[in-house]
């Protein structure tokens, strides 16, 4: 048992990812020069549709320069850039409205739009999203019917090859796609997506449905729901999964594109490494309790009152890559594990079938994700994931046993 426990400990203390956070001075100096040139070029352009100025919006919302610079500093770190990029990140935030965005909704609940527009006491992330040049967004814009069609047509024609296409929702493919149609011509969601992808500079799939099919793709998947990357080929695609996707990560992706003119470094599931390079478990505030073998055993017990680890209540943090343990939700106030609910792996493929139940992974008669998983997802690897699923069960059991013995000893 000791050997196994040691092996499991090794697995769980190993760096889960090999995200290269320092690429060397030469690389960053070159990148800095490239970004500077790009920002200067963007400054010479007129803002597209959105003429709002960031500084005006910040003061309207009562965000002072100091708070803005704190956000700049945190965002620079989130993007894994050295601190001397901070002035450039601040300038990039001010020219966000020079990059047009077209946002379409397919088979979804609009939860990502909801997260995107949240405006109660907005943080800088949300204010930044207000100044992006959102040329088309069905849920938010006033136009409807033929007017909306015309607006979309104009946006695509005007910004051909330049716009970022944000896609929310999965794509139903069963019954020739007729589970989801849009517009007077009855264009299927698949046709709609394919047509609008053609002239996009890059496509950003937002939320679990657009990335991996999400809840609509859960068994038995009656509509044949798929994610964007299963439909669109030959275009850069960035996946920002989670249910909903975190606005901080949406801002991060747009900002990275404004700053560098390129899409961020991605993992094998096309997720930006700056946001999805680490497991929830790596940065979880309850991690010390996991390592000490202190678990919540049932809802409302002493462990729950003491914020012990939620693994035995089904937390899938050890298998889930996302930055919500750091960035958090609701204006950074809290996140699921912070309020006592285990992670259900919403940023992983097929999460509803594979992770969203209240049992530890090791007790479930299922396999860790297959296909497309190389390392970390990249370095971490399928073999390790599977071993982990079993190993963590051993660790949990062994820790519980050790805890019980010491309790008995104390009595
Ligand atoms: S609560 Fe979940 S993510 Fe946090 S330490 Fe426990 S198992 Fe890991
Ligand atoms: S804690 Fe897990 S389930 Fe919750 S939002 Fe983050 S990745 Fe999704």
């Amino acid at each position: 048992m000791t050997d196994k426990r040691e092996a499991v400990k090794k697995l769980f203390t190993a760096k889960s990812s090999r995200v290269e956070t320092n690429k060397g001075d030469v690389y960053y100096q070159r990148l800095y020069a490239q970004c500077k040139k790009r920002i200067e070029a963007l400054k010479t352009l007129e803002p597209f549709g959105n003429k709002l100025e960031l500084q005006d919006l910040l003061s309207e919302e009562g965000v002072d320069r100091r708070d803005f610079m704190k956000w700049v500093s945190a965002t620079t770190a989130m993007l894994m850039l050295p601190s001397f990029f901070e002035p450039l990140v601040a300038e990039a935030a001010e020219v966000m409205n020079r990059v047009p965005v077209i946002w379409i909704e397919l088979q979804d609940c609009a939860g990502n739009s909801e997260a995107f527009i949240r405006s109660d006491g907005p943080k800088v992330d949300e204010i930044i999203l207000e100044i992006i040049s959102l040329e088309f967004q069905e849920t938010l814009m006033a136009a409807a019917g033929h007017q909306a069609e015309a607006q979309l047509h104009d946006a695509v024609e005007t910004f051909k090859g330049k716009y970022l296409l944000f896609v929310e929702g999965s794509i139903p493919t069963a019954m020739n796609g007729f589970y989801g149609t849009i517009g007077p011509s009855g264009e299927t969601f698949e046709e709609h997506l394919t047509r609008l992808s053609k002239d996009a500079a890059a496509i950003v799939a937002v939320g679990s449905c657009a990335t991996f099919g999400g809840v609509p793709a859960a068994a038995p998947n009656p509509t044949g729901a798929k994610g964007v990357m299963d439909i669109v080929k030959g275009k850069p695609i960035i996946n920002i999964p989670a249910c909903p996707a975190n606005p901080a990560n949406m801002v991060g992706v747009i900002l990275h594109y404004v700053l560098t003119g390129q899409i961020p470094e991605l993992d094998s599931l096309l997720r930006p490494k700056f946001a999805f390079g680490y497991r929830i478990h790596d940065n979880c505030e309850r991690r010390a309790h996991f390592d000490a073998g202190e678990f919540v055993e049932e809802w409302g017990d002493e462990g729950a009152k003491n914020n012990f680890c939620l693994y035995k209540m089904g937390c899938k943090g050890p298998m889930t890559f996302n930055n919500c343990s750091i960035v958090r939700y609701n204006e950074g106030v809290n996140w699921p594990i912070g309020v006592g609910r285990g992670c259900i792996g919403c940023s992983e493929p097929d999460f509803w079938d594979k992770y969203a139940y209240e049992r530890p992974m090791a007790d479930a008669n299922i396999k860790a994700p297959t296909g497309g998983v190389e390392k970390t997802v990249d370095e971490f690897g399928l073999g390790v994931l599977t071993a982990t699923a079993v190993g963590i069960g051993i660790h949990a059991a062994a820790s519980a046993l050790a805890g019980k013995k010491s309790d008995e000893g104390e009595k």
Side-chain angles (χ1 to χ4, degrees):
M1 180 63 84
T2 313
D3 284 352
K4 278 187 184 159
R5 284 182 64 187
E6 279 309 308
V8 171
K9 198 169 161 199
K10 212 167 149 197
L11 274 177
F12 274 80
T13 48
K15 282 259 175 279
S16 69
S17 61
R18 303 287 179 274
V19 181
E20 221 183 326
T21 49
N22 188 351
K23 298 185 177 177
D25 290 349
V26 176
Y27 172 86
Y28 290 116
Q29 294 296 351
R30 200 179 301 141
L31 183 65
Y32 186 91
Q34 179 193 322
C35 295
K36 179 108 192 118
K37 215 165 136 195
R38 176 162 165 87
I39 299 290
E40 291 308 327
L42 285 174
K43 276 186 188 165
T44 63
L45 301 176
E46 277 296 305
F48 290 124
N50 193 345
K51 309 282 185 217
L52 292 172
E53 289 296 334
L54 178 63
Q55 291 310 332
D56 295 345
L57 266 180
L58 289 173
S59 29
E60 255 173 49
E61 297 292 347
V63 178
D64 62 23
R65 185 78 189 162
R66 200 161 155 266
D67 285 338
F68 175 61
M69 289 316 290
K70 272 205 251 170
W71 174 87
V72 166
S73 174
T75 303
T76 308
M78 181 180 95
L79 292 175
M80 295 181 177
L81 294 170
S83 56
F84 67 86
F85 273 73
E86 284 176 16
L88 273 190
V89 169
E91 287 182 57
E94 285 169 15
V95 292
M96 294 270 278
N97 50 7
R98 269 58 162 196
V99 172
V101 170
I102 292 178
W103 180 303
I104 57 170
E105 284 200 46
L106 305 175
Q107 186 168 240
D108 72 319
C109 68
N112 298 284
S113 294
E114 177 68 28
F116 171 77
I117 58 167
R118 193 175 53 237
S119 63
D120 175 32
K123 269 200 332 170
V124 180
D125 282 328
E126 282 108 51
I127 295 172
I128 299 273
L129 285 170
E130 273 190 50
I131 77 143
I132 67 167
S133 193
L134 196 55
E135 299 301 324
F136 182 87
Q137 218 282 11
E138 287 142 330
T139 312
L140 303 182
M141 63 195 207
H146 289 290
Q147 266 184 335
E149 285 287 304
Q151 196 165 326
L152 178 59
H153 179 264
D154 285 354
V156 171
E157 286 303 310
T158 312
F159 304 115
K160 233 178 198 165
K162 291 189 185 139
Y163 61 87
L164 291 177
L165 179 67
F166 271 61
V167 183
E168 181 178 4
S170 65
I171 303 99
T173 60
M175 238 175 58
N176 294 325
F178 285 118
Y179 279 108
T181 62
I182 193 161
S185 66
E187 190 177 39
T188 66
F189 286 171
E190 184 169 351
E191 290 162 344
H192 192 60
L193 170 65
T194 308
R195 176 166 67 86
L196 298 175
S197 300
K198 204 158 61 65
D199 293 316
I203 299 152
V204 187
V206 194
S208 295
C209 302
T211 50
F212 308 128
V215 173
N221 191 0
T223 65
K226 291 187 176 174
V228 170
M229 67 182 177
D230 294 324
I231 304 287
V232 178
K233 303 292 169 198
K235 280 277 168 185
I237 296 175
I238 304 152
N239 280 335
I240 313 181
C243 192
N246 200 315
N249 295 335
M250 301 183 211
V251 170
V253 165
I254 303 175
L255 199 57
H256 188 281
Y257 183 72
V258 170
L259 193 60
T260 65
Q262 293 164 359
I263 64 172
E265 198 177 340
L266 306 175
D267 71 8
S268 55
L269 293 171
L270 308 185
R271 302 177 294 195
K273 283 189 181 176
F274 73 76
F276 299 92
Y278 297 91
R279 292 174 301 166
I280 296 290
H281 189 69
D282 295 328
N283 298 300
C284 177
E285 61 213 31
R286 298 187 185 219
R287 175 62 186 266
H289 292 297
F290 175 90
D291 291 341
E294 294 172 333
F295 298 96
V296 177
E297 303 281 344
E298 65 181 78
W299 298 121
D301 69 3
E302 279 306 304
K305 288 179 200 156
N306 285 300
N307 298 331
F308 283 1
C309 169
L310 293 157
Y311 176 69
K312 287 190 177 183
M313 302 309 291
C315 178
K316 307 302 183 300
M319 298 84 185
T320 304
F321 292 83
N322 203 344
N323 60 357
C324 27
S325 40
I326 304 166
V327 176
R328 300 171 163 236
Y329 277 88
N330 295 331
E331 298 150 43
V333 169
N334 217 329
W335 68 301
I337 290 174
V339 294
R341 178 64 177 82
C343 166
I344 57 170
C346 74
S347 55
E348 296 299 320
D350 303 329
F351 85 96
W352 195 255
D353 293 332
K354 288 182 172 161
Y355 297 127
Y357 49 81
E358 290 176 357
R359 273 170 295 145
M361 190 76 176
D363 295 352
N365 188 23
I366 58 166
K367 286 188 181 143
T370 56
V373 180
E374 296 164 11
K375 304 188 169 173
T376 355
V377 153
D378 297 330
E379 291 283 324
F380 193 48
L382 175 63
V384 179
L385 270 175
T386 313
T388 301
V390 176
I392 193 170
I394 297 165
H395 173 66
S399 305
L401 197 64
K404 203 170 167 210
K405 279 197 178 139
S406 82
D407 283 355
E408 279 164 6
E410 278 165 24
K411 279 177 204 161

